[in-house]
């Protein structure tokens, strides 16, 4: 489907075989060409149904990457940001990083037995799901601080890697890293193929997502922005410099923190942004308010059969995880964001289907 | 000088003409090929004299980018960081951003006349250079906060752009943006051509450097890390989302703050790092302490004729701007960093020479 990639005026096969001999190439171009080469008969975005959501992405790319377009955007200004939980992968029944923190509690208690008698650790160790469901936000914060701080950044990375290799989602019985949304992977890949730099802007910890972002999203660690705990430079006993994760929140990358974090780590306004909850509202507003053509899109989880259904927008249940209010839905319509309906817009949800 | 780029096993001219038809290419590859194509008879790094400093860069690139090398580094792990002031451009007689802040004081006083009677603004407005030279660090901090906060990020960008277009260095009577070191531009370009991603890690404000980084260093804003004031998400009177620069320091990107800032905004340890003062010490240590082959280099300004000479390492005068102590020099030798002597290693200092 060569024609879907605007302005490629050459024999791609020749280019690809030429490029294959070049070892110093960054992944970008090869990924782009490979994508074009292997585009199935359904065209780009094969896991999307035809409709306004898919069309809005195609229109946006065409308008901003065709040099003849009055809305053309220079390649160096092509920035696209994606929320993670609920936008790129499943966030129910609980955010994966929270699962990680809860799973770390027994390990921590083995190292520091005194914790076994202290709340909220006692409740977590009891394994009583009803009691755990009642943990308050301050309780969860205590667990987050205890399990995400006090170690070196290298130790943390190793722990997360180990956990990801074994932990499984309770419904699909698969590693969390397989629960990415295939249509969104296609959007990121398509945007990169058309010169966009893709970033993750997550409300959860950037250190956590950076461990696997290259492997599952093809996004390098430096293009992951998220909530950030401070680190402290220090020397190990052998004199080696290390960074220790500290219990001090530097960036709360939720709500207004999203555009603030984007400014801190990217330094300019995105051209396109994708989210799924009230925590993404300011990022979507900020993106849409820029000059020229901008694209803001928001995923509505309305498919309980294939994934989950939650709102409370459009009468869907309010499950407290990934809240999408009716007010946000109304703002989307008013401000010209596109709503992505999982039920109607996604032909396929997961790669393993 | 094709041979200087390891493993390019093909006809580059054919590749270049092929690539020229591809509009969606990221700049990386074109820059790499263009550089290779136009490499002068002197080889890569033409503004460098042959010697251990130049050789250490060539060796590092060969070892880490040749797939046959046991020290090979995967392209996605190729990260190189550069201090700015004194490493990429001139920092004497005063850091450019401090010049910017001082130049903003009269503008500020015109808006808020009460400032004319308040120190340290009164001294700056007097134009008395001797009195200004005696301003203390708290005085300078007051000036920094007054001139860098309270406006939107867009307003700040516009002000910096305007200033850069007219402000001139007192010695060379040229815009500051022309006072970049040609040999260091060549190192950055060479590293990018061999698959490295180049980052600036500056002690001064990242918002300031991001205004011109693409234009003068070919480095996009998101690859500039520096000291950062918080921004606050808000709405303008017309309802438009804006970001306001706040008087709250989020990241002091000096000394231990450099590896901490690298962790915050890059998320992994650099393979190569370049600095010139005690403020870069921890970044250079942290980089060198990583596994495999790492390169830490430090510029010694020992050429008063062509630029400036300051230390106090090696008996050079201690000018307080860009301090390079003898202890740091000794650590460099002991820890295997390479010292770059402006006098001996640089054939040419500026592009305009």
């Amino acid at each position: 489907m060569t024609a879907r990639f605007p302005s490629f005026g050459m024999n791609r096969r020749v280019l690809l075989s030429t490029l294959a001999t070049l070892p110093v190439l960054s992944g970008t171009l090869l990924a782009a060409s490979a994508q074009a080469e292997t585009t199935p008969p359904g065209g780009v975005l094969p896991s999307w149904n035809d409709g306004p959501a898919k069309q809005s992405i195609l229109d946006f790319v065409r308008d901003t990457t065709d040099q003849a377009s009055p809305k053309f955007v220079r390649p160096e200004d092509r920035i696209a940001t994606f929320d993670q939980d609920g936008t790129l992968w499943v966030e129910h029944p609980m955010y994966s990083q929270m699962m990680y923190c809860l799973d770390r509690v027994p390990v921590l208690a083995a190292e520091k037995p005194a914790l076994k008698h202290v709340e909220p650790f006692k409740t977590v160790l009891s394994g009583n799901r009803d009691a755990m469901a009642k943990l308050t936000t301050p309780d969860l914060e205590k667990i987050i601080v205890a399990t995400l701080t006090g170690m070196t950044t290298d130790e943390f990375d190793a722990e997360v890697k180990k956990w990801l290799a074994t932990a499984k989602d309770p419904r699909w019985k698969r590693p969390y890293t397989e629960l990415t949304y295939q249509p969104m992977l296609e959007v990121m890949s398509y945007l990169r193929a058309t010169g966009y730099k893709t970033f993750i802007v997550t409300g959860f910890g950037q250190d956590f997502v950076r461990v696997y972002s290259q492997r599952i999203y093809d996004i390098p660690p430096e293009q992951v922005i998220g909530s950030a705990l401070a680190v402290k430079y220090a020397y190990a006993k052998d004199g080696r410099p290390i960074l220790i994760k500290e219990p001090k929140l530097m960036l709360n990358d939720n709500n207004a923190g999203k555009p603030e974090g984007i400014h801190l780590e990217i330094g300019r306004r995105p051209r396109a942004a994708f989210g799924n909850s009230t925590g993404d509202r300011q990022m979507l507003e900020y993106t849409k308010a820029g000059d020229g053509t901008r694209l803001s899109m928001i995923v509505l989880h309305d498919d309980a059969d294939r994934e989950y259904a939650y709102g409370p927008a459009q009468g869907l249940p309010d499950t407290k995880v990934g809240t999408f209010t009716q007010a946000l839905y109304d703002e989307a319509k008013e401000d010209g964001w596109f709503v992505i309906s999982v039920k109607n817009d996604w032909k396929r949800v997961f790669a393993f289907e």
Side-chain angles (χ1 to χ4, degrees), chain A:
Chain A
M1 294 289 101
T2 310
R4 298 288 180 132
F5 284 86
S7 318
F8 269 32
M10 57 160 309
N11 183 326
R12 189 166 295 104
R13 202 172 298 274
V14 167
L15 174 66
L16 278 174
S17 60
T18 308
L19 290 174
T21 66
L22 254 182
V24 298
L25 260 187
S26 76
T28 315
L29 178 63
L30 285 176
S33 306
Q35 150 103 7
E37 188 74 354
T38 57
T39 300
V44 293
L45 307 180
S47 300
W48 289 71
N49 290 317
D50 288 335
K54 176 177 179 176
Q55 196 57 46
S56 70
I57 301 167
L58 298 176
D59 289 349
F60 171 77
V61 167
R62 190 198 56 228
D63 288 351
T64 59
T65 62
D66 179 353
Q67 277 192 294
S69 159
K71 298 170 181 169
F72 178 74
V73 174
R74 295 179 309 171
E76 62 264 38
D77 293 332
R78 296 183 195 158
I79 302 287
T81 56
F82 295 80
D83 166 58
Q84 179 189 242
D85 297 277
T87 300
L88 296 180
W89 76 358
V90 173
E91 64 187 347
H92 275 248
M94 189 184 264
Y95 302 112
S96 304
Q97 190 176 359
M98 199 62 235
M99 293 294 284
Y100 170 78
C101 293
L102 293 175
D103 284 354
R104 287 293 300 168
V105 170
V107 184
L108 208 65
E111 289 166 11
K112 299 177 189 172
L115 284 182
K116 290 177 190 169
H117 312 291
V118 181
E119 289 296 357
F121 306 98
K122 201 175 153 185
T123 295
V124 176
L125 291 166
S126 75
N128 181 333
R129 282 179 181 267
D130 289 338
M132 280 165 74
K134 285 184 194 130
L135 291 174
T136 62
T137 302
D139 285 337
L140 294 175
E141 280 172 2
K142 269 181 209 158
I143 294 166
I144 288 173
V145 166
T147 54
L148 300 184
T149 69
M151 71 289 287
T152 69
T153 52
D154 289 343
E155 285 163 357
F156 175 75
D157 288 358
E159 282 159 11
V160 173
K161 250 180 214 157
K162 212 166 72 183
W163 181 80
L164 286 172
T166 54
K168 284 190 175 157
D169 171 85
R171 175 166 163 189
W172 284 277
K173 321 283 183 213
R174 289 172 177 272
Y176 292 101
T177 47
E178 289 184 21
L179 296 181
T180 53
Y181 303 131
Q182 178 62 22
M184 295 307 291
L185 296 180
E186 291 169 8
V187 171
M188 292 199 292
S189 172
Y190 179 52
L191 285 171
R192 287 193 292 265
T194 52
Y196 277 87
K197 219 165 171 174
T198 52
F199 291 80
I200 290 172
V201 180
T202 177
F204 255 97
Q206 60 181 25
D207 283 358
F208 185 81
V209 180
R210 283 171 174 176
V211 173
Y212 56 84
S213 63
Q214 183 79 54
R215 180 164 64 86
I216 79 169
Y217 301 122
D218 214 1
I219 289 182
E222 64 271 18
Q223 285 166 226
V224 175
I225 294 134
S227 294
L229 294 165
V231 292
K232 191 180 164 59
Y233 185 79
Y235 300 94
K237 278 178 194 155
D238 63 3
R240 202 168 27 92
I242 49 175
L243 293 171
I244 309 275
K245 285 172 72 73
E246 299 274 291
K248 184 189 151 202
L249 188 63
M250 278 192 80
L251 173 65
N252 180 354
D253 200 44
N254 282 292
N255 306 305
K258 289 212 172 191
E260 291 164 3
I262 287 169
H263 182 76
L264 178 69
E265 301 192 37
I266 305 180
R268 53 219 166 115
R269 199 188 296 251
R271 287 276 155 184
F274 299 77
N276 81 299
S277 78
T278 49
D280 301 313
R281 180 185 147 204
Q282 288 85 345
M283 174 172 78
L284 295 164
E285 287 174 349
Y286 178 63
T287 299
K288 196 71 177 74
D291 57 5
T293 301
R294 309 270 169 167
L295 179 67
S296 286
M297 300 193 82
I298 186 156
V299 178
L300 180 69
H301 294 267
D302 54 0
D303 192 334
D305 290 339
R306 293 193 300 169
E307 199 233 4
Y308 292 100
Y310 50 103
Q314 303 299 88
L316 296 167
D318 183 356
T319 53
K320 308 292 180 198
V321 172
T323 300
F324 187 161
T325 61
Q326 187 60 37
L328 187 66
Y329 188 91
D330 295 342
E331 180 174 350
K333 291 291 170 187
E334 208 166 291
D335 199 27
W337 315 348
F338 286 90
V339 175
I340 298 167
S341 155
V342 170
K343 194 170 189 171
N344 300 320
D345 290 313
W346 289 357
K347 198 177 287 177
R348 186 163 74 143
V349 178
F350 302 111
F352 57 75
E353 284 175 358

